[in-house]
Amino acid sequence: MIIGCCIREFYICVIPNHKGEAIARLLEDCLLEWGIEKILTITVDNASSNDVALKELSKRIGDWGVPNALLHQGRNLHMRCVAHILNLIVNDGLSVMKIFIGVIRNAVRYVRSSPQRLDFFKECVERVKLECKRLVILDVPTRWNSTFLMLERALKFQKTFDRMVDEDAGNFWAWLQGDKGEKPKEGPPMSVDWHYGEQFVDFLRPFYEITLKVCCFYSPTVHNTFGDLLSIYGLLQEQKNSCLSEIASPMQDKFQRYWGSFDKLNHYLFIAIVLDPRHKLEKVVDYFEILDDGDMDENVEANTKSVKDLLYDLYKVYEKEGRESGVSEVGGSQVSSGGISSSSKGLTELKMRLKEKK
């Protein structure tokens, strides 16, 4: 869990159980020990116990009697972890490609299963005159980004694997068959497996890059998060490859489940966009128009009004606290619709459409 504030030291706390009430009590104890009285958001994954925990924590913080300890009665306290949802989305796609991925994974597992096999693989690398200082890596199946890295690395050694199968066929086939009573393993990888693997890696690369971006520790990312989510949405919608469209369909369903509408998103994401001088309110409007594809103007207007109202409410809180703390009053608030800056390197057609709105 990540609490929306700067914490210099991290404490490892033992949770007696994973019930929401127990998590809420422990979180409250930590906040009190750290002297934190005001919380904007708490980022957690999508376990149902976390939903219960944050609702219970909102009640507990409400009993503290601290003004504005939670803004807007904690309606936006729960920030869903973007990296975790990305993991869920991509894993749904991986399940469609599990046979092809499994074939390549088995070949990598064979190589990494003993020092002797790894040495023989290195000999095969030299025989095909492949210049690569890094060798194949085995993934952790529950972490899709490690699967992406495994496939990306394995593709560079396709000729090496082919040579290994030719020269070590007996041992490799025996390993695939396994011991008596074991289920035979899929393999060895054929040209079609490498072909699908290459397409899948190209398809997943933007997801991997966005995951790295949102997991950045040393710079803020929230102001770009919604734009990244729209890029993912566009990638899934625009997929025309017959093989990859089969993968994109369950991924799109999972996207809709968590991010498919304005109400499912934490509205503070849009405040972060407005406060970014490169984006401001106009970028939020553009995002809404693209998300609704121009068919629901009333939705765009209603969502934009919600963001404006939230922004004004936050400013009123800021202004009031400034007066009470003796800070000189800040100048007038104005939500600008000034110029927009967008990266020249777009991931999808959505970003091209965003550029055209300039």
Side-chain angles (χ1 to χ4, degrees):
M1 297 183 183
I2 301 174
I3 299 176
C5 62
C6 180
I7 301 175
R8 292 185 180 180
E9 297 183 25
F10 292 88
Y11 297 82
I12 299 176
C13 304
V14 179
I15 301 177
N17 60 66
H18 287 83
K19 293 182 179 180
E21 292 79 5
I23 296 174
R25 284 195 299 272
L26 186 60
L27 274 175
E28 183 185 33
D29 290 343
C30 291
L31 292 172
L32 293 173
E33 181 181 349
W34 297 336
I36 298 174
E37 296 183 341
K38 297 183 179 181
I39 300 94
L40 183 64
T41 63
I42 297 179
T43 302
V44 294
D45 62 23
N46 298 297
S48 58
S49 59
N50 288 332
D51 295 338
V52 176
L54 293 190
K55 289 180 181 178
E56 176 66 20
L57 182 64
S58 294
K59 295 178 184 177
R60 289 172 173 266
I61 294 176
D63 294 337
W64 290 357
V66 178
N68 296 318
L70 289 178
L71 296 178
H72 304 103
Q73 294 77 49
R75 289 194 301 270
N76 295 303
L77 175 67
H78 188 175
M79 180 75 75
R80 295 189 182 276
C81 177
V82 173
H84 183 255
I85 297 178
L86 280 174
N87 189 54
L88 298 177
I89 290 173
V90 177
N91 275 328
D92 279 9
L94 289 174
S95 64
V96 178
M97 293 285 290
K98 61 182 179 181
I99 294 179
F100 301 106
I101 294 173
V103 168
I104 297 176
R105 179 184 289 125
N106 285 334
V108 175
R109 182 177 284 123
Y110 175 79
V111 171
R112 307 295 308 196
S113 62
S114 76
Q116 294 78 14
R117 290 167 182 167
L118 183 59
D119 289 339
F120 181 73
F121 185 79
K122 292 177 181 178
E123 292 177 12
C124 293
V125 171
E126 294 177 357
R127 291 174 187 176
V128 298
K129 299 187 181 301
L130 181 65
E131 294 183 2
C132 187
K133 296 182 180 179
R134 297 180 178 180
L135 293 173
V136 291
I137 53 176
L138 188 61
D139 69 331
V140 179
T142 56
R143 303 302 301 175
W144 79 267
N145 51 341
S146 70
T147 302
F148 167 81
L149 293 173
M150 178 191 71
L151 293 175
E152 183 184 47
R153 187 76 61 82
L155 286 169
K156 299 176 181 179
F157 292 92
Q158 179 178 349
K159 292 182 179 180
T160 307
F161 279 110
D162 292 341
R163 177 63 66 92
M164 182 190 72
V165 172
D166 290 340
E167 299 189 7
D168 194 30
N171 292 329
F172 188 30
W173 278 104
W175 182 84
L176 289 173
Q177 292 303 311
D179 297 331
K180 186 177 180 180
E182 287 186 355
K183 183 179 179 180
K185 306 176 185 69
E186 299 285 346
M190 310 298 288
S191 58
V192 64
D193 300 312
W194 294 116
H195 173 70
Y196 282 127
E198 185 174 1
Q199 287 190 326
F200 201 42
V201 165
D202 289 341
F203 175 67
L204 289 182
R205 192 176 305 282
F207 293 85
Y208 178 72
E209 292 173 352
I210 290 174
T211 299
L212 292 181
K213 187 176 178 181
V214 299
C215 291
C216 179
F217 290 156
Y218 300 109
S219 61
T221 60
V222 66
H223 56 295
N224 291 319
T225 297
F226 188 66
D228 293 334
L229 301 188
L230 267 187
S231 297
I232 293 172
Y233 181 74
L235 284 170
L236 297 175
Q237 279 197 322
E238 296 161 15
Q239 190 52 243
K240 295 179 175 61
N241 183 296
S242 58
C243 171
L244 295 180
S245 61
E246 185 179 355
I247 300 169
S249 180
M251 295 173 69
Q252 192 168 352
D253 291 341
K254 187 59 66 73
F255 181 96
Q256 290 291 338
R257 176 179 175 182
Y258 291 111
W259 295 326
S261 68
F262 176 71
D263 292 334
K264 293 180 180 179
L265 290 156
N266 189 307
H267 295 180
Y268 289 156
L269 290 175
F270 304 103
I271 300 302
I273 298 173
V274 174
L275 295 179
D276 187 330
R278 300 169 300 172
H279 302 327
K280 304 185 181 180
L281 184 64
E282 187 172 339
K283 178 62 76 66
V284 175
V285 176
D286 290 344
Y287 280 154
F288 288 154
E289 289 177 349
I290 291 172
L291 190 61
D292 287 323
D293 205 20
D295 297 331
M296 301 290 287
D297 289 342
E298 63 274 15
N299 282 351
V300 173
E301 184 176 350
N303 294 341
T304 303
K305 183 178 183 303
S306 296
V307 173
K308 282 184 177 180
D309 292 343
L310 181 60
L311 179 63
Y312 292 143
D313 287 344
L314 288 171
Y315 180 78
K316 289 177 183 177
V317 172
Y318 172 73
E319 186 180 36
K320 181 180 178 181
E321 290 199 347
R323 287 198 300 267
E324 292 176 352
S325 62
V327 178
S328 59
E329 185 173 348
V330 183
S333 173
Q334 180 180 358
V335 179
S336 171
S337 60
I340 308 168
S341 173
S342 180
S343 172
S344 60
K345 184 180 179 182
L347 287 175
T348 67
E349 183 183 346
L350 282 171
K351 288 192 176 181
M352 297 302 295
R353 290 170 58 187
L354 200 57
K355 278 188 173 184
E356 293 172 0
K357 289 182 173 290
K358 286 187 176 182

